[in-house]
């Protein structure tokens, strides 16, 4: 994956008669293979920045590029294609499809990509085993614990080997043991598969795993520190 560059990103939201600043002239560069945490209180802008990088939200001004690609200028079709093939998303609410099994949830992205049935089934089973869910492939989300559901969501995000994983508060619904297991998995994927991770969190346990910690407040970056 190419370097991600955000230049002077601004984003505001209207809340009634009030204008809320989501991002205030944010500059950031993230290199291939980095493991980055965005930290800060609610309303600091970390989720807004994550969504802008992932093309889920369009900034009011500024530029977001991934190599030669200007994410902020992509039309809906090319943007959806870029997300489908290059970015994995892990959401706080899991966003699993309730009527599908764990394996079918993981297969879903590959099905949209047009992968053959047997190949995507093999890949889904392999990645579920890698995240510690071997034997649970046929269970639906309601039959899994919160930690297990999050692992399915992670497996779905990484099964097609994206260049970048964006995770928004991935440990918010997990206990300390499940949180540690998830972060160890992220670390393994980052180090062994060279996947770039950007994680928005206010969980200090998560921040300890980051090799780079970016602190945000009121839509601005107030600190950018290397760790470990």
């Amino acid at each position: 994956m190419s370097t991600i560059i955000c230049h002077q990103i601004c984003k505001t939201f209207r809340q009634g008669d009030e204008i809320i600043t989501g991002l205030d002239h944010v500059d950031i560069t993230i290199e291939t293979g980095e493991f980055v945490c965005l930290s800060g209180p609610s309303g600091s802008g970390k989720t807004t920045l994550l969504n802008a990088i992932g093309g889920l939200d369009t900034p009011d001004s500024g530029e977001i590029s991934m190599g030669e690609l200007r994410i902020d200028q992509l039309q809906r079709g090319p943007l959806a294609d870029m997300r489908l093939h290059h970015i994995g998303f892990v959401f706080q609410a899991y966003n699993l499809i309730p009527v599908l099994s764990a394996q079918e949830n993981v297969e879903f992205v590959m099905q949209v990509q047009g992968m053959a049935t047997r190949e995507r089934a093999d890949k889904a089973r392999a990645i579920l085993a890698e995240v510690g869910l071997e034997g649970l492939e046929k269970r639906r989300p309601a039959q899994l614990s919160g930690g297990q559901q999050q692992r399915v969501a992670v497996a779905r995000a990484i099964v097609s080997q994206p260049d970048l994983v964006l995770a928004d508060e991935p440990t918010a619904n997990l206990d300390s043991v499940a949180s540690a297991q998830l972060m160890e998995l992220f670390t393994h994927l980052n180090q062994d598969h060279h996947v770039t991770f950007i994680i928005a969190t206010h969980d200090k346990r998560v921040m300890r795993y980051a090799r780079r910690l970016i602190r945000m407040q009121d839509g601005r970056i107030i600190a950018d520190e290397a760790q470990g």
Side-chain angles (χ1 to χ4, degrees), residues 103-124:
Q103 181 174 323
E104 289 167 339
N105 265 283
V106 174
E107 284 188 41
F108 183 74
V109 169
M110 294 181 287
Q111 183 177 356
V112 175
Q113 290 175 335
M115 189 178 294
T117 302
R118 176 167 290 185
E119 184 181 1
R120 68 176 186 253
D122 289 345
K123 284 180 176 290

Side-chain angles (χ1 to χ4, degrees), residues 6 23-29 38-39 44 49 212-225:
C6 298
L23 297 172
D24 186 2
H25 297 90
V26 170
D27 287 310
I28 183 173
T29 298
L38 306 175
S39 72
S44 62
L49 179 57
R212 181 179 174 191
L213 182 61
I214 297 171
R215 300 184 186 276
M216 299 189 68
Q217 184 175 310
D218 300 325
R220 297 180 179 179
I221 293 175
I222 60 171
D224 188 344
E225 307 157 345

Side-chain angles (χ1 to χ4, degrees), residues 22-23 38-51 168-169 198-203 214 216 219:
L23 297 172
L38 306 175
S39 72
S42 296
S44 62
K46 57 187 186 295
T47 296
T48 306
L49 179 57
L50 206 69
N51 288 343
D168 189 12
E169 300 286 3
I198 308 175
I199 303 172
T201 186
H202 62 265
D203 187 339
I214 297 171
M216 299 189 68

Side-chain angles (χ1 to χ4, degrees), residues 98-174:
V99 298
L100 299 183
S101 68
Q103 181 174 323
E104 289 167 339
N105 265 283
V106 174
E107 284 188 41
F108 183 74
V109 169
M110 294 181 287
Q111 183 177 356
V112 175
Q113 290 175 335
M115 189 178 294
T117 302
R118 176 167 290 185
E119 184 181 1
R120 68 176 186 253
D122 289 345
K123 284 180 176 290
R125 285 192 293 268
I127 200 68
L128 284 168
E130 187 168 351
V131 301
L133 294 178
E134 188 172 9
L136 303 180
E137 297 91 350
K138 301 306 178 186
R139 292 194 184 183
R140 294 185 177 182
Q143 299 170 306
L144 299 169
S145 69
Q148 289 169 337
Q149 289 183 59
Q150 188 63 297
R151 284 171 175 262
V152 175
V154 170
R156 180 184 59 190
I158 65 176
V159 68
S160 56
Q161 297 182 319
D163 302 307
L164 169 66
V165 170
L166 302 174
D168 189 12
E169 300 286 3
T171 61
N173 300 315
L174 305 181

